[in-house]
């Protein structure tokens, strides 16, 4: 027997070759804890581990078991560290005040979709998994009651905490039904290709045929369904390191397909016998009808994850329908995935929850206290899949200024202890953010929290992919407000602020490297209140990778694009950030500029001499003195930009072709640059 243990999930797969031994697959979820003796739920005390069970009385002619949810005593740990390990090993203890997550499986009833995600989820949640045994014949309303019993127990155990219901396919129907019947509970639903659209399934014509398949041929059914449920290649690719050489990746893929997936399919016919399959199809039909009849009563937060290549259900169409019906619903689409989204090679479920701002530990989401730092897996995915081409093309150079005024390579001049407020120039479309974040994480083990425009937190699309706007939230972006800045500086964080805002990042032709800072000393007094160190910085390189040919004024002269921009952005007043701002910075027009790519040059960063505010209480109330510091920081940024523009002319490897040639003749990964 192969066993994989975790404090979040215990998986016991057992595929025996002995013909006298029936193959089986069991999934049991449990929270980190001891093995104290348990008692039934109705007699549970508050400090013991409690199994939650619902027994269904056997009826003549059937062997009925119960749906089960199991958990154990709560343990908590310190907050998650930066780049925590989310690999396939023991997840350890969840963070302090972690909410509860109940995984409601699809028709398999085992919770297989949870397996690739349980370690990461176990860091952020107390994870439970519903197990529906193969011969179980509990009707849909009975399963609803099982889940409701656990919700009541969790509400009593952890009051004032949200409870998450992750419903995979059929489990999505179950989650919606529970939410409709328990409107007073603080629930967050994560629906993965929910089966509420079962009546529109392309499989409907095949269902009568499945019912007529003889017992002797039932073993062929899993093979047929496997090509409909998901992409076998993506499922086999799950967990293979993308950094491996192509030959090793292909060999690993071959091994998984031939030695794992095919034997698994041959055993599924025995794991899910014909009578069980027919019962589950009837259960699915009744569950979809039950959920749809009560869907208007759902008050919970909802996040729908829809696959673009789902051949079992019209999931993207259903996501759009749910987005229109449910009052508080977000949608994320995964265009290249099939029905078994959670089992395919895609991003982590916890990453999606974080990137859509759905992770919270109280009644309301807090961008500071509810933030969980990115894991090692998230960093690797973001660098290789999201920023891969850009970071390779620009080969960024980082310089910083020491206290004595010396400019050195790297980030040694940036204080490691917070609070620190980084203020600087916002390059076109914020292209400097990715390489800058990577450098801080890798060199200083610091994740700075960047202020982002509120439009990035609006949900205007029912078919939105999980994209760059979500990834920056995973890496700490938060809406620019005085309250959020106050909270972050008070927690001694490194905070990134662009005084020029969107006006600087979306500047017009001929305005590159020009600062559009407001007239007010808006950040100096806040920094002084917490004794934060202000670090001004300059960046250059946008003109080395693209040429701006169409700016806002040009686009607004084109009738069709004029209407489109006005429709997408809507009323600019709803995104107004600075009520007291005047001049160009107050004119923050949002648009997508027209760019012509160039043969890539290089990005350069220079962090200026730190400006101390600690021990200077006069800056909080004295506007004149605060304005002097403000102008000092602004002048430092302009000086840094001028320095970089001059010094980059001395860089022998400014052009990407020269850098590629260097890479062919040298073994070092870092391409040199000019001497500071």
């Amino acid at each position: 027997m192969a066993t994989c243990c975790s404090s979040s999930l215990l998986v016991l797969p057992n595929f025996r070759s002995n013909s006298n031994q029936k193959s089986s697959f069991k999934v049991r979820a449990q929270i980190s804890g001891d093995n104290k003796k348990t008692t039934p739920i109705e007699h549970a005390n508050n400090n013991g581990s409690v199994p939650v069970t619902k027994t269904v009385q056997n009826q003549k002619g059937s062997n009925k078991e119960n749906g089960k949810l199991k958990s154990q005593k709560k343990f908590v740990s310190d907050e998650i560290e930066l780049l925590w390990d989310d690999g396939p090993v023991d997840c350890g203890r969840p963070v302090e005040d972690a909410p509860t997550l109940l995984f409601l499986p699809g028709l398999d009833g085992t919770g297989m979709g949870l397996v690739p995600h349980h370690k990461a989820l176990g860091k952020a949640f107390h994870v439970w998994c519903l197990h529906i045994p193969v011969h179980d014949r509990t009707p849909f309303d009975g399963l609803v009651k099982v889940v409701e019993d656990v919700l009541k127990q969790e509400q009593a155990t952890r009051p004032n905490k949200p409870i998450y219901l992750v419903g995979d396919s059929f489990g999505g129907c179950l989650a919606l039904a529970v939410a409709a019947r328990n409107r007073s509970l603080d629930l967050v639903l994560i629906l993965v290709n929910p089966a509420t659209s079962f009546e529109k399934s392309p499989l409907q014509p095949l269902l009568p045929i499945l019912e007529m398949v003889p017992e002797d041929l039932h073993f062929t059914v899993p093979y047929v369904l496997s090509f409909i449920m998901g992409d076998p290649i993506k499922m086999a690719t799950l967990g293979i390191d993308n950094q491996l050489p192509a030959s090793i990746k292909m060999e690993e893929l071959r091994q998984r397909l031939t030695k794992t997936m095919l034997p698994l399919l041959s055993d599924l016919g025995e794991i899910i016998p014909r009578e069980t399959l027919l019962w589950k199809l009837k259960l699915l039909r009744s569950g979809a009808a039950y959920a749809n009849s009560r869907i208007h009563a759902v008050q919970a937060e909802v996040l729908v994850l829809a696959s673009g290549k789902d051949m079992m259900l019209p999931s993207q169409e259903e996501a759009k329908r749910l987005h229109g019906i449910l009052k508080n619903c977000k949608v994320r689409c995964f265009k290249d995935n099939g029905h078994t989204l959670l089992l395919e090679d895609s991003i982590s479920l916890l990453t999606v929850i974080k990137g859509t701002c759905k992770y919270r530990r109280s009644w309301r989401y807090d961008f500071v206290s509810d933030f969980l730092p990115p894991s090692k897996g998230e960093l690797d995915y973001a660098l290789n899949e999201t920023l891969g081409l850009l970071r390779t093309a620009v080969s960024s150079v980082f310089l910083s200024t020491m206290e004595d005024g010396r400019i050195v390579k790297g980030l040694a001049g940036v204080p490691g202890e917070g609070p620190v407020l980084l203020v600087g120039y916002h390059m076109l479309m914020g292209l400097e953010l990715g390489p800058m974040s990577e450098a801080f994480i890798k060199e200083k083990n610091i994740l700075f929290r960047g202020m982002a425009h509120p439009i990035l937190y609006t949900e205007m699309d029912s078919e939105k992919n999980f994209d760059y706007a979500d990834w920056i939230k995973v890496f700490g972006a938060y809406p620019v407000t005085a309250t959020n800045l106050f909270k972050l500086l008070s927690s001694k964080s490194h905070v990134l602020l662009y005084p020029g805002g969107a006006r600087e990042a979306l500047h017009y032709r001929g305005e590159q490297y020009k600062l559009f800072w407001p007239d007010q000393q808006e950040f100096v007094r806040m920094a002084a209140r917490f004794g934060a160190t202000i670090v001004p910085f300059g960046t250059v390189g946008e003109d080395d990778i693209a040429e701006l040919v169409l700016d806002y004024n040009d686009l607004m002269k084109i009738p069709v694009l004029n209407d489109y921009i006005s429709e997408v952005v809507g009323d600019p007043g709803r995104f107004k950030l600075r009520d007291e701002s005047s001049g160009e910075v107050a004119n923050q027009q949002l648009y997508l500029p027209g760019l012509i790519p160039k043969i890539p040059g290089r990005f350069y960063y220079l962090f200026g001499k730190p400006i101390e505010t600690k021990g200077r209480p006069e800056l909080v109330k004295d506007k004149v003195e605060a304005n002097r510091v403000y102008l000092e920081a602004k002048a430092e940024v302009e000086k840094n930009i001028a320095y970089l523009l001059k010094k980059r002319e001395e860089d022998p490897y400014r052009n990407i072709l020269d850098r590629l040639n260097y890479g062919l003749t040298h073994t070092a990964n870092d391409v040199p640059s000019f001497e500071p």
Side-chain angles (χ1 to χ4, degrees):
M1 177 183 294
T3 304
C4 172
C5 297
S6 163
S7 57
S8 260
L9 182 70
L10 177 62
V11 184
L12 303 174
N14 180 13
F15 298 102
R16 299 179 184 273
S17 58
N18 189 326
S19 59
N20 295 325
Q21 178 67 39
K22 292 288 185 181
S23 300
S24 63
F25 191 97
K26 300 179 181 179
V27 174
R28 180 182 58 178
Q30 61 186 54
I31 303 303
S32 300
D34 52 28
N35 294 319
K36 292 182 179 180
K37 184 177 180 181
T38 60
T39 55
I41 183 170
E42 57 270 25
H43 298 106
N45 51 45
N46 291 330
N47 59 3
S49 55
V50 182
V52 181
T53 64
K54 178 180 183 298
T55 303
V56 181
Q57 185 177 358
N58 288 338
Q59 297 181 3
K60 185 177 180 179
S62 67
N63 179 18
K64 297 189 177 182
E65 296 181 31
N66 59 288
K68 299 179 181 179
L69 282 149
K70 292 189 177 183
S71 179
Q72 290 185 342
K73 188 176 178 181
K74 170 185 174 183
F75 280 79
V76 297
S77 68
D78 295 332
E79 293 298 305
I80 299 178
E81 69 279 2
L82 179 61
L83 300 186
W84 53 279
D85 183 13
D86 53 352
V89 294
D90 186 3
C91 66
R93 303 170 181 174
V95 296
E96 186 175 359
D97 294 329
T100 296
L101 182 146
L102 278 62
F103 187 87
L104 309 179
L107 282 186
D108 63 286
T110 63
M112 275 295 294
L114 178 61
V115 174
H117 307 273
H118 75 270
K119 187 202 171 178
L121 290 173
K123 278 286 191 180
F125 297 95
H126 296 277
V127 180
W128 302 50
C129 181
L130 175 66
H131 173 218
I132 306 175
V134 172
H135 300 290
D136 182 83
R137 296 298 181 263
T138 307
F140 186 79
D141 56 352
L143 295 177
V144 171
K145 184 63 168 60
V146 171
V147 178
E148 287 181 334
D149 288 344
V150 178
L151 292 182
K152 293 175 183 177
Q153 172 188 324
E154 285 300 291
Q155 181 69 12
T157 304
R158 299 184 179 92
N160 305 318
K161 297 286 179 191
I163 300 177
Y164 287 71
L165 299 179
V166 177
D168 186 9
S169 189
F170 166 75
C173 298
L174 190 55
L176 284 168
V178 171
R181 288 164 49 108
N182 297 270
R183 302 172 64 181
S184 62
L185 292 181
D186 184 6
L187 300 177
V188 180
L189 309 186
I190 314 294
L191 309 179
V192 185
N193 295 324
T196 44
S197 61
F198 180 66
E199 290 302 321
K200 300 178 182 178
S201 171
L203 295 182
Q204 286 294 337
L206 298 178
L207 297 182
I209 300 176
L210 289 176
E211 295 176 359
M212 293 186 293
V213 173
E215 184 71 33
D216 294 343
L217 297 178
H218 178 69
F219 73 93
T220 64
V221 173
Y223 292 93
V224 175
L225 293 180
S226 66
F227 292 97
I228 300 174
M229 292 180 63
D231 186 338
I233 301 298
K234 280 187 171 292
M235 295 173 70
T237 306
L238 181 66
I240 297 180
D241 188 355
N242 286 330
Q243 302 303 305
L244 292 174
S247 58
I248 298 179
K249 289 172 61 177
M250 292 301 297
E251 176 61 22
E252 179 70 16
L253 179 61
R254 186 190 68 81
Q255 293 279 349
R256 293 190 178 195
L257 286 171
T258 58
K259 295 187 178 181
T260 302
M261 294 195 67
L262 288 179
L264 174 63
L265 291 174
S266 66
D267 284 317
L268 280 178
E270 296 183 14
I271 296 174
I272 306 179
R274 181 174 180 274
E275 294 78 11
T276 298
L277 179 61
L278 296 179
W279 163 257
K280 287 182 177 291
L281 290 174
K282 292 178 181 178
L283 184 66
L284 177 56
R285 183 175 284 109
S286 65
Y290 188 104
N292 281 317
S293 67
R294 295 163 173 80
I295 199 167
H296 290 281
V298 175
Q299 300 288 333
E301 285 184 62
V302 180
L303 173 61
V304 180
L305 310 183
S307 295
K309 295 183 179 179
D310 190 341
M311 299 180 65
M312 289 194 68
L313 298 169
S315 291
Q316 281 197 297
E317 180 183 334
E318 180 65 4
K320 188 174 182 179
R321 183 182 78 93
L322 294 175
H323 184 267
I325 293 176
L326 299 171
K327 299 178 181 179
N328 186 4
C329 179
K330 291 184 179 181
V331 173
R332 290 296 181 271
C333 296
F334 299 84
K335 60 181 181 179
D336 296 324
N337 291 92
H339 184 70
T340 54
L341 173 62
L342 297 180
L343 288 173
E344 297 180 14
D345 184 24
S346 59
I347 59 180
S348 162
L349 178 57
L350 179 60
T351 302
V352 177
I353 293 174
K354 291 161 57 180
T356 53
C357 301
K358 287 297 181 184
Y359 182 77
R360 56 186 174 88
R361 286 175 268 186
S362 60
W363 69 277
R364 182 179 180 181
Y365 179 75
D366 188 294
F367 286 96
V368 179
S369 61
D370 287 326
F371 175 72
L372 299 179
S375 66
K376 184 179 182 300
E378 288 170 337
L379 177 65
D380 291 342
Y381 189 98
L383 295 182
N384 297 321
E385 304 296 331
T386 305
L387 296 174
L389 183 60
L390 176 66
R391 61 192 289 261
T392 301
V394 300
S395 184
S396 299
V397 176
F398 290 89
L399 306 169
S400 60
T401 308
M402 306 300 289
E403 291 185 0
D404 59 5
R406 288 184 301 112
I407 297 177
V408 298
K409 295 180 179 180
L411 300 174
V414 179
E417 295 294 328
V420 172
L421 184 61
L422 306 168
V423 294
Y425 171 68
H426 211 353
M427 200 182 289
L428 183 64
M429 297 181 66
L431 293 173
E432 79 284 359
L433 282 170
M436 181 173 163
S437 179
E438 177 188 4
F440 269 78
I441 290 174
K442 289 188 173 180
E443 183 174 338
K444 300 189 73 69
N445 195 36
I446 290 173
L447 178 72
F448 58 71
R449 303 292 306 276
M451 286 189 163
H453 197 284
I455 196 173
L456 296 175
Y457 296 86
T458 60
E459 295 291 326
M460 299 179 288
D461 190 356
S462 61
E463 299 179 1
K464 187 179 186 302
N465 297 324
F466 192 88
D467 55 20
Y468 182 77
D470 296 312
W471 273 108
I472 65 172
K473 299 165 193 171
V474 174
F475 280 81
Y478 64 98
V480 51
T481 68
T483 300
N484 286 335
L485 180 59
F486 180 95
K487 290 181 179 179
L488 286 168
L489 291 179
S490 66
S491 63
K492 300 185 182 302
S493 301
H494 283 65
V495 183
L496 173 63
L497 173 66
Y498 290 109
R503 178 63 182 89
E504 210 165 76
L506 299 176
H507 58 250
Y508 304 155
R509 285 185 290 122
E511 295 180 341
Q512 63 268 25
Y513 309 127
K514 179 181 178 181
L515 299 187
F516 292 94
W517 287 23
D519 297 331
Q520 310 297 324
Q521 64 277 12
E522 41 185 35
F523 61 80
V524 174
R525 288 188 289 167
M526 182 74 78
R529 181 168 184 173
F530 298 99
T533 302
I534 300 173
V535 180
F537 69 92
T539 61
V540 303
E542 64 179 68
D543 56 338
D544 259 2
I545 63 171
E547 181 179 354
L548 176 60
V549 293
L550 291 174
D551 60 23
Y552 179 80
N553 293 327
D554 298 322
L555 295 173
M556 294 303 286
K557 295 175 183 178
I558 304 174
V560 176
L561 291 178
N562 184 323
D563 296 338
Y564 176 75
I565 293 173
S566 300
E567 179 182 350
V568 171
V569 176
D571 178 17
R574 64 192 173 122
F575 298 122
K576 191 171 183 180
L577 306 180
R578 299 178 173 95
D579 293 335
E580 299 178 357
S581 294
S582 60
E584 282 295 318
V585 72
N587 184 27
Q588 295 195 2
Q589 304 293 351
L590 305 178
Y591 74 104
L592 187 63
L595 304 175
I596 295 180
K598 294 181 178 181
I599 297 176
R602 211 167 188 181
F603 282 0
Y604 301 88
Y605 302 74
L606 173 57
F607 293 84
K609 185 176 180 179
I611 301 173
E612 297 287 348
T613 67
K614 188 175 182 180
R616 302 177 66 180
E618 70 278 3
L619 293 177
V620 178
K621 296 182 179 180
D622 189 338
K623 291 186 177 182
V624 174
E625 185 63 19
N627 190 61
R628 189 192 66 77
V629 174
Y630 178 79
L631 295 176
E632 178 187 349
K634 183 179 180 181
E636 183 73 10
V637 173
E638 292 173 329
K639 185 178 75 171
N640 292 343
I641 293 175
Y643 176 89
L644 294 173
L645 289 173
K646 179 181 178 181
K647 293 293 289 186
R648 72 176 178 177
E649 301 296 333
E650 304 174 11
D651 187 355
Y653 301 104
R654 177 179 171 185
N655 189 284
I656 190 174
L657 299 179
D658 295 321
R659 295 197 298 274
L660 290 175
N661 182 61
Y662 179 89
L664 293 175
T665 57
H666 296 76
T667 58
N669 293 326
D670 295 330
V671 181
S673 181
F674 59 80
E675 288 298 321

